[in-house]
Amino acid sequence: MKKLVLLFAAGVLLLGACADPSITEESQKESTSSDQSESNTKKVENEEKQEPEQPFKPLEPSEDAVSLKESLSEKEQQEIPEMQAALGGNPERTVPAGETLAEGVKDPSDGPLKDHRLVAYYGTPDSENMGILGEMEPEEYMKKLKEQTQAYSDADPDRPAVPTIELITTMAQSEPGPDGDYVRMTSEENIETYVELAEKHDALVLLDIQLGMDTVMEQVKMVEKWLKHPHVHLAIDTEFHVAEEEKPGEDLGQVDGKEIQKAVEYVSGLTEKNDLPDKIVLVHQFTGDVLTNKDVIQPTDNVEVAINFDGWGASADKQALYGKYIRDEPKQYGAFKIFYDKDVPVLEPEDVLKMDPSPAIVNYQ
């Protein structure tokens, strides 16, 4: 959370001290001692005003890692923006290679994305078909996640990457269930397992909500107690939010940007009220239809917003759609999802990072 840090300059003003016989050596010592005491007091006050240490540790780049700006030729820096413009838009690069903030956008927070990139593995322990998380035991999963994260730290050493768990917390269902909302929450035991796993490994967590017929705010409140952890953040899957007489997975859902903004502001207030480090709200989008009124979504002073291009298929098409929905409709940060089993080809980290702007979050399923 952003705080005002006041910097004090302590000094001793001794005008004519040597020439004035009324100023004794003892009085000078008392004055110096008093000033030193005041200086120490102000130093303690300053230390108390410092921002809390971030609850994560990025993976440090290898010693031989080379800056992305140095490793990419001018041709390589330009060819991806041209591909991103395949569906229209500007074929020229809008921000320098590796830059994650969209052109003309600022980040007033001290959140994780300001100086780092997040690499996330998506899924739930309740299903092997929804991502890597459900395919492995927790420690094995974390080992593989760190290997993938390290590749991004090495590819862009100027922005060290942070391993991140994207845990599906509320999963959309094809049947209405006892509450009639077509969604089922994973067990608190599962959530605790992965929140604790991340804390143990100095990693971050994104709690992903899939909505069904429920509202964004109802589900945010369902996971609120975990959002109060310093290393836990929020992700919203828009495509699974359906209307009456529709079913998730059969009918394409959508979320109004106004509801997203309510969540952003709620998380912002939660962060401020509980004196937490600044947070992230990640919003999944793979078509224009799943996210309406997108223009109203805005970050706050203590919440970073990232729009995640979430679709699978031909990688060239995905890069073009990232250009359309992320670069050409900037909110703050961009994110990009990769499907190990469905993308053709599966992009290497160096290829992902060439995009304009470079994704601040890369998640894998």
Side-chain angles (χ1 to χ4, degrees), residues 220-333:
V220 170
K221 291 175 181 178
M222 286 169 62
V223 300
E224 178 175 330
K225 72 175 184 178
W226 292 288
L227 290 173
K228 291 179 181 178
H229 288 266
H231 64 298
V232 178
H233 304 262
L234 178 67
I236 302 171
D237 252 325
T238 54
E239 66 185 276
F240 296 105
H241 184 236
V242 295
E244 289 186 16
E245 300 182 0
E246 294 182 337
K247 290 184 179 182
E250 293 182 13
D251 299 286
L252 183 63
Q254 65 176 209
V255 175
D256 192 316
K258 295 176 183 177
E259 300 306 308
I260 299 291
Q261 188 60 23
K262 287 179 184 178
V264 170
E265 292 172 4
Y266 190 85
V267 172
S268 182
L270 192 70
T271 300
E272 185 172 353
K273 181 179 178 180
N274 293 277
D275 197 26
L276 296 167
D278 294 346
K279 295 283 189 183
I280 300 166
V281 172
L282 175 69
V283 184
H284 289 263
Q285 178 187 15
F286 80 95
T287 73
D289 294 337
V290 301
L291 185 56
T292 62
N293 289 318
K294 187 177 178 180
D295 59 311
V296 305
I297 303 172
Q298 297 295 332
T300 70
D301 284 352
N302 54 18
V303 172
E304 297 171 318
V305 171
I307 306 297
N308 191 158
F309 176 70
D310 178 4
W312 55 269
S315 293
D317 293 341
K318 291 181 59 172
Q319 289 169 313
L321 289 166
Y322 179 89
K324 179 177 181 178
Y325 295 126
I326 308 302
R327 185 188 66 173
D328 298 340
E329 299 176 0
K331 290 290 91 188
Q332 191 179 37
Y333 290 101

Side-chain angles (χ1 to χ4, degrees), residues 109-130:
S109 80
D110 287 321
L113 301 182
K114 197 159 191 175
D115 298 308
H116 304 93
R117 177 175 284 104
L118 272 54
V119 177
Y121 271 178
Y122 177 95
T124 169
D126 295 331
S127 172
E128 294 182 3
N129 300 320
M130 290 294 293

Side-chain angles (χ1 to χ4, degrees), residues 35-103:
D35 288 334
Q36 185 63 49
S37 176
E38 182 180 357
S39 176
N40 288 340
T41 299
K42 290 178 178 178
K43 181 178 180 181
V44 170
E45 291 175 353
N46 283 340
E47 290 175 349
E48 290 176 349
K49 292 176 183 291
Q50 295 297 317
E51 293 291 336
E53 183 179 353
Q54 291 282 18
F56 63 85
K57 291 182 180 178
L59 299 188
E60 293 301 322
S62 302
E63 291 184 4
D64 58 352
V66 178
S67 172
L68 192 66
K69 296 173 184 177
E70 297 178 14
S71 64
L72 294 180
S73 66
E74 289 187 12
K75 179 180 178 181
E76 287 176 313
Q77 292 188 40
Q78 185 53 38
E79 63 186 3
I80 298 300
E82 290 176 355
M83 183 183 297
Q84 289 177 225
L87 299 174
N90 183 6
E92 301 295 325
R93 180 169 288 279
T94 61
V95 296
E99 176 60 57
T100 54
L101 274 173
E103 184 180 25

